[in-house]
């Protein structure tokens, strides 16, 4: 008998406001749909308005009563991040769920953000760090759950503090893994500081295993005139080895659990429970050894504040 497809029961989220970055496609729109079905008002900050509008229509088609809206956000621009933060704070509505999901993955050549940072480090980590800082008043008001998306490969990564921006030698996958490790360290430190300073937030981390989305394929093709061989191989693997690669509706489960379950804790990591944590339903996993260093977490925090100019209060 075939194994039943994993799923979770999302609690009633009526009256709660959720913000999901990168929700115009892939895991982001899958998460936004599940949150909307549970009754949350979902805000989709997007870089591409046309893709964002298509995501809104997709959510409303599946859930006609969904309360979902778009905002502008380019995580590769600190000015855009600050603008969104000011806008949502000015609206005055508490944010109860923030899912830091958007990412850029493995462009073959080194690119930079509007502020001159290496694209993956600047977008995946620094953009989300600054966003959380700008949103802190409404996150605190909502006693928010902040769930940050990591990656399996971050566990095998380590920092080169002398070359965080990959200026000396750029390697696409190494840069991606380091950006996600930095983001994970930030998320864990956010939970510690929330407890220490009374911000009222719960911050945890999730990873989707190996889930087929445009994230894995679009980065490899950035700047190319035609589709890369790696893109075609990855899509083929999803068809012939389903126990190694899963679809979005299953890939969202660890983050969905981390962001909504009363049992999900701060400072914890959630991922798939299947073979090598590539596929399956959500489970709490050991925090990667590379992310256990409090010294590294504090250093990432300090460096991120210096680079972005975004500040968290200390009291």
């Amino acid at each position: 008998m075939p194994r039943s497809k994993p799923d979770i029961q999302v609690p009633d989220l009526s009256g709660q406001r959720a913000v999901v970055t990168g929700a115009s496609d892939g895991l982001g729109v899958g998460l936004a749909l599940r949150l909307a079905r549970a009754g949350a008002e979902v805000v989709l900050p997007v870089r591409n308005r046309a893709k964002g509008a298509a995501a809104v229509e997709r959510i409303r088609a599946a859930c006609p009563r969904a309360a979902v809206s778009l905002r502008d956000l380019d995580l590769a621009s600190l000015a855009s991040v600050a603008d969104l933060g000011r806008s949502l704070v000015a609206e005055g509505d508490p944010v109860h769920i923030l899912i830091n999901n958007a990412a850029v993955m493995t462009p073959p050549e080194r690119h930079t953000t509007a502020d001159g940072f290496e694209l993956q480090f600047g977008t995946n980590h620094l953009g989300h760090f600054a966003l959380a800082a700008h949103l802190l008043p409404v996150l605190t008001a909502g006693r928010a759950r902040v769930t940050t998306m990591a990656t399996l490969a971050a566990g095998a990564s380590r920092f080169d503090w002398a070359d965080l921006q990959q200026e000396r030698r750029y390697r696409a996958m190494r840069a991606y893994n380091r950006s996600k490790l930095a983001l994970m360290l930030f998320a864990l430190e956010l939970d510690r500081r929330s407890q220490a300073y009374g911000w009222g937030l719960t911050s945890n981390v999730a990873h989707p295993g190996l889930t087929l989305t445009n994230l894995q394929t679009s980065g490899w093709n950035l700047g190319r005139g035609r589709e890369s061989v790696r893109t075609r191989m990855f899509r083929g693997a999803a068809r012939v080895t389903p126990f190694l690669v899963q679809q979005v509706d299953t890939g969202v489960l660890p983050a969905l659990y981390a962001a909504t379950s009363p049992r999900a804790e701060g400072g914890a990591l959630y991922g798939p429970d299947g073979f090598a944590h590539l596929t399956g339903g959500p489970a709490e996993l050991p925090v990667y050894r590379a992310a256990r260093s409090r010294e590294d977490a504090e250093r990432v925090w300090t460096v991120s504040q210096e680079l972005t100019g975004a500040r968290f209060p200390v009291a």
Side-chain angles (χ1 to χ4, degrees), residues 49-311:
R49 273 268 169 172
K51 288 183 66 175
V56 169
E57 289 307 310
R58 176 179 166 185
I59 293 169
R60 287 178 176 160
C63 181
R65 296 184 179 180
V68 56
S69 60
L70 294 178
R71 302 292 189 281
D72 293 313
L73 174 64
D74 182 357
L75 284 163
S77 165
L78 292 177
S80 175
V81 173
D83 285 345
L84 175 65
R86 283 191 292 266
S87 174
L88 291 179
V89 170
E91 289 175 19
D93 296 322
V95 172
H96 304 89
I97 297 171
L98 170 62
I99 302 183
N100 295 319
N101 164 75
V104 178
M105 184 177 181
T106 60
E109 305 294 332
R110 186 180 185 274
H111 296 263
T112 57
T113 69
D115 304 284
F117 306 124
E118 188 276 317
L119 182 63
Q120 295 177 92
F121 186 74
T123 301
N124 302 348
H125 168 59
L126 293 178
H128 283 118
F129 177 93
L131 180 62
H134 290 301
L135 291 180
L136 191 62
V138 288
L139 293 173
T140 298
R143 300 191 64 82
R145 184 81 62 92
V146 180
T147 294
T148 295
M149 295 294 279
T151 179
L152 260 173
S157 184
R158 63 180 181 176
F159 288 115
D160 178 356
W161 292 103
D163 191 25
L164 278 178
Q165 304 293 333
Q166 299 279 295
E167 294 174 299
R168 296 177 184 173
R169 186 179 182 187
Y170 175 78
R171 290 183 178 177
M173 184 56 75
R174 182 173 63 182
Y176 176 71
N177 292 342
R178 285 180 178 173
S179 75
K180 286 292 191 174
L181 177 58
L183 187 59
M184 185 174 184
L185 284 164
F186 155 64
L188 298 175
E189 184 66 12
L190 178 62
D191 191 71
R192 286 190 285 261
R193 295 196 180 214
S194 175
Q195 294 181 43
Y197 299 131
W199 296 340
L201 313 181
T202 299
S203 177
N204 55 27
V205 184
H207 79 76
L210 193 53
T211 301
L212 180 63
T213 71
N214 285 337
L215 175 65
Q216 293 90 349
T217 57
S218 60
W220 294 337
N221 299 310
L222 187 62
R224 295 181 183 271
R226 59 181 181 178
E227 188 175 76
S228 74
V229 173
R230 290 177 69 182
T231 296
R232 295 194 292 272
M233 290 175 62
F234 185 76
R235 287 175 176 159
R239 291 192 293 270
V240 300
T241 56
F243 63 95
L244 296 178
V245 184
Q246 62 190 359
Q247 301 301 318
V248 166
D249 55 353
T250 305
V252 300
L253 296 180
L256 191 64
Y257 180 88
T260 66
S261 174
R263 296 183 178 181
E265 298 180 347
L269 169 66
Y270 297 91
D273 63 358
F275 173 72
H277 306 302
L278 295 173
T279 61
E284 183 174 351
L285 307 176
V287 172
Y288 303 148
R289 180 172 297 180
R292 294 176 193 169
S293 168
R294 183 67 187 273
E295 180 182 354
D296 282 352
E298 291 179 344
R299 191 170 182 180
V300 162
W301 189 281
T302 299
V303 168
S304 300
Q305 287 198 139
E306 291 171 353
L307 292 176
T308 65
R311 294 289 189 270

